[in-house]
Amino acid sequence: MKVHNFNSGPSILPRTVMEQASQAILDFNGTGLSILEIGHRTTHFQDVLQEAISSVKQLMDLSDDHEVLFLHGGATTQFMQVPMNLLDEKATAAYHVNGIWGKKAATEAALFGNVTVVADSSDQQNTYIGKDFTVPASASYLHITSNNTVEGTQWHQFPETEVPLVADMSSDIFCRPADYKRFGLIYAGAQKNMGAAGVNMVVVRKDLLGKVSRKIPTIMDYQKHIDAGSLMNTPPVFAVYVSMLTLRWILQEGGLTEMERRNKAKSDLLYQTIDSLPLYRAQVVKSDRSLMNAVFFLNDPSLETAFLDLCKKENMIGVKGYRTVGGIRVSMYNALPLSSVEAICDLMKDFAIKHG
């Protein structure tokens, strides 16, 4: 049975990654042990971790100025860990809020210091990326959410700023090339474009650390994790392994340039279909539409249940919009094949003929 996986996360993984991960559960690299059984301080796992770190640096073209960490927890943990490490109690951080996750991040940061919200798109239901804003020169950093999974918006050109730029890239990490060296810190939960749920990647510029006066709990201190090589405590071994396999797959498939080419082809096809059929509407302004998460609505809301029922019948999974937004959401992460987008576009056309 062919299933089209449009889940927003945890989401689709490359078939080869799942096959290799499945085999490793039974026998990891001919050791006779499962990946679930190997010690995290053995050379077996250290080789996995080092390949994952090296792949991130290669894909992002990073120098030794940045460190790569694989840590417990999802991106939500970073809502507190970032300000804990970078924001002094009497200092101010700038937050750019374009949706639910940016708002949550700003709320958590306010527990550790002052927060200035420099832009907030809630006046138009977060259907655009606010670009006319000023960042205080004294700010410790500017935090953005590079892609808004819930609302379907994405930064296509990152803001220029004199202060360190911090980004939650959970839902568009490794979907395209960018000048990643510009960022002071990047964090991302793995479960959308980089692997299995349970691990979160942090890329941090080392010179930003050690500048806050507060005492940081050991397990929350980035510098301590750097010193321990992401092995301060037992890491989520299997999730790191799946991330390593996924990163390897990205490199083998042609890297970020090829991911961007595929992602643009998928998103262009879907948005063209939405725009060409009067039954549907996408509320996000065209210049800010996400390559990863397309959010749209039926102009006749009474037809939504029938549309979702048809998707279910045709094995199209995960298309119901987020509970606070509603509508339809089609997530198109790296591993989603173009054929799945073609299938849902055909379904949309057929549905429009019958109900338009």
Side-chain angles (χ1 to χ4, degrees):
M1 178 179 67
K2 172 64 176 177
V3 174
H4 302 282
N5 186 353
F6 299 110
N7 276 321
S8 62
S11 53
I12 189 168
L13 288 168
R15 181 73 183 179
T16 56
V17 168
M18 291 190 288
E19 290 171 349
Q20 292 172 74
S22 299
Q23 177 58 40
I25 289 176
L26 299 175
D27 183 354
F28 174 67
N29 288 352
T31 61
L33 295 171
S34 168
I35 184 68
L36 306 177
E37 298 175 311
I38 65 171
H40 65 286
R41 296 191 185 280
T42 63
T43 56
H44 300 305
F45 179 68
Q46 290 189 35
D47 288 346
V48 168
L49 181 60
Q50 288 310 309
E51 181 178 341
I53 291 170
S54 151
S55 296
V56 171
K57 288 194 168 185
Q58 183 178 345
L59 287 166
M60 290 186 163
D61 190 27
L62 298 175
S63 71
D64 289 338
D65 292 338
H66 285 82
E67 288 286 356
V68 178
L69 300 171
F70 284 89
L71 305 177
H72 283 279
T76 302
T77 306
Q78 295 307 311
F79 295 168
M80 66 172 173
Q81 196 165 1
V82 167
M84 193 180 291
N85 282 264
L86 302 186
L87 179 60
D88 232 345
E89 185 177 357
K90 295 183 179 179
T92 297
Y95 274 71
H96 189 287
V97 177
N98 279 131
I100 185 173
W101 301 118
K103 184 176 181 180
K104 287 178 180 288
T107 299
E108 292 294 297
L111 299 174
F112 298 93
N114 300 313
V115 168
T116 295
V117 176
V118 295
D120 184 344
S121 59
S122 60
D123 61 327
Q124 294 183 37
Q125 299 178 296
N126 298 309
T127 55
Y128 71 102
I129 298 284
K131 303 179 185 72
D132 185 15
F133 62 93
T134 301
V135 178
S138 60
S140 297
Y141 59 85
L142 168 65
H143 179 285
I144 66 171
T145 307
S146 61
N147 184 82
N148 292 284
T149 323
V150 171
E151 298 84 6
T153 59
Q154 185 178 29
W155 284 90
H156 294 295
Q157 184 172 353
F158 294 117
E160 298 288 341
T161 175
E162 297 300 317
V163 306
L165 184 58
V166 173
D168 174 359
M169 291 192 178
S170 293
S171 56
D172 67 347
I173 192 74
F174 302 126
C175 80
R176 59 188 171 176
D179 184 4
Y180 294 103
K181 293 188 290 293
R182 284 185 50 207
F183 290 84
L185 188 146
I186 295 167
Y187 62 93
Q191 69 274 12
K192 299 178 188 296
N193 234 8
M194 196 179 65
V199 67
N200 114 81
M201 183 198 74
V202 174
V203 174
V204 59
R205 207 175 74 214
K206 292 182 286 188
D207 66 349
L208 296 182
L209 303 178
K211 296 183 178 180
V212 297
S213 57
R214 74 170 54 86
K215 293 181 179 179
I216 305 173
T218 301
I219 199 66
M220 302 302 292
D221 191 328
Y222 291 136
Q223 187 60 57
K224 294 288 200 310
H225 282 288
I226 291 172
D227 295 341
S230 290
L231 293 171
M232 186 189 302
N233 64 336
T234 306
V237 171
F238 184 67
V240 173
Y241 176 65
V242 177
S243 288
M244 182 275 285
L245 292 176
T246 307
L247 293 163
R248 181 189 287 174
W249 174 82
I250 292 172
L251 286 164
Q252 291 174 342
E253 291 294 303
L256 301 189
T257 299
E258 175 61 15
M259 293 300 106
E260 181 180 47
R261 185 195 67 77
R262 297 179 187 182
N263 292 328
K264 283 187 173 179
K266 290 180 290 188
S267 62
D268 284 351
L269 175 60
L270 182 57
Y271 287 123
Q272 286 166 7
T273 301
I274 294 167
D275 292 340
S276 68
L277 300 170
L279 188 66
Y280 311 102
R281 76 180 189 282
Q283 295 186 164
V284 171
V285 300
K286 288 186 177 182
S287 60
D288 297 332
R289 287 175 173 178
S290 170
L291 298 176
M292 299 284 96
N293 312 99
V295 176
F296 62 97
F297 300 83
L298 280 79
N299 284 314
D300 182 351
S302 69
L303 293 174
E304 186 174 303
T305 299
F307 182 86
L308 292 171
D309 287 344
L310 180 59
C311 288
K312 183 177 180 180
K313 179 183 176 183
E314 298 298 325
N315 298 315
M316 297 184 181
I317 308 301
V319 297
K320 184 175 176 59
Y322 192 77
R323 60 184 178 274
T324 60
V325 174
I328 310 299
R329 175 173 56 180
V330 175
S331 296
M332 301 170 285
Y333 298 120
N334 286 349
L336 184 77
L338 178 62
S339 59
S340 286
V341 179
E342 290 171 338
I344 198 167
C345 288
D346 288 342
L347 179 147
M348 291 168 64
K349 292 172 185 175
D350 290 343
F351 190 84
I353 291 171
K354 292 176 183 176
H355 298 280

